[in-house]
Amino acid sequence: MKLKNNTISDCSIIDLSKVHSESGNITVVENESNIPFEVKRVYYLYDVPGGESRGGHAHYNLEQYIVAASGSFEVLLDDGFNRKKVFLNRPNLALHVLPGLWRKLDNFSSGSICMVLASELYIEQDYIRNYIEFKEWKLKK
Ligand code: TYD
């Protein structure tokens, strides 16, 4: 499998917008509307102990929206050449992470929930979990 040639600047924050009312807000993510891929899987990270990090991998094909459904955390994006940190703390904002990029999540606030909408089912072969291997792949491009 070939690692895709995306860069950190291809990743953007999408405002999913919200339906506001005095009794609370609703944010909707709907296929063919405000997400550029079909959602095949949703998972969420929670009860992350202080100081822990998650992620630490890249995907060959999978793209995803990462949403701070509650609380806050940081996402480090790395394309093998450049890095950027994105702070997420609003449930109506999604970080669109493209395939071929390393990502690591840390600085989870207490009680935070990281919701991920993914374009693929869970397939371990789609993961690169070794950073040195990832860098070698990206430098080959
Ligand atoms: P992992 O991908 O290492 O989590 P993260 O990147 O968020 O730190 O997954 C942790 C464990 O959960 C691993 O044993 C695989 C399992 N898992 C599934 O079975 N299905 C899934 O959809 C995900 C995301 C993980």
Side-chain angles (χ1 to χ4, degrees):
M1 241 186 305
K2 269 195 134 190
L3 199 53
K4 297 218 165 49
N5 209 9
N6 293 314
T7 71
I8 55 169
S9 52
D10 298 317
C11 296
S12 53
I13 301 257
I14 314 293
D15 189 345
L16 302 166
S17 82
K18 60 185 168 194
V19 184
H20 172 74
S21 86
E22 303 241 314
S23 52
N25 298 325
I26 298 180
T27 287
V28 180
V29 184
E30 192 169 31
N31 284 335
E32 297 173 31
S33 166
N34 57 352
I35 187 162
F37 54 87
E38 195 189 344
V39 179
K40 288 204 182 144
R41 180 166 54 108
V42 177
Y43 63 92
Y44 33 99
L45 296 165
Y46 54 99
D47 290 347
V48 179
E52 280 296 335
S53 67
R54 301 295 308 233
H57 60 250
H59 287 282
Y60 287 101
N61 289 316
L62 180 147
E63 58 186 301
Q64 62 192 192
Y65 269 8
I66 301 179
V67 178
S70 184
S72 66
F73 50 85
E74 281 183 335
V75 186
L76 174 77
L77 296 171
D78 181 333
D79 59 21
F81 298 93
N82 294 296
R83 290 178 171 186
K84 76 174 170 188
K85 265 193 175 180
V86 180
F87 179 68
L88 292 175
N89 68 344
R90 297 297 311 155
N92 61 305
L93 298 181
L95 174 63
H96 183 201
V97 182
L98 290 156
L101 300 171
W102 192 264
R103 91 289 320 272
K104 195 171 90 145
L105 285 69
D106 59 16
N107 287 321
F108 287 86
S109 68
S110 171
S112 58
I113 301 175
C114 168
M115 182 174 70
V116 179
L117 311 178
S119 67
E120 306 295 334
L121 303 179
Y122 178 75
I123 306 166
E124 186 55 36
Q125 291 83 343
D126 192 60
Y127 283 71
I128 301 179
R129 294 189 183 272
N130 181 310
Y131 184 73
I132 294 170
E133 211 180 295
F134 166 78
K135 277 283 262 193
E136 283 169 2
W137 268 106
K138 291 303 260 192
L139 294 171
K140 274 187 215 160
K141 303 281 155 195

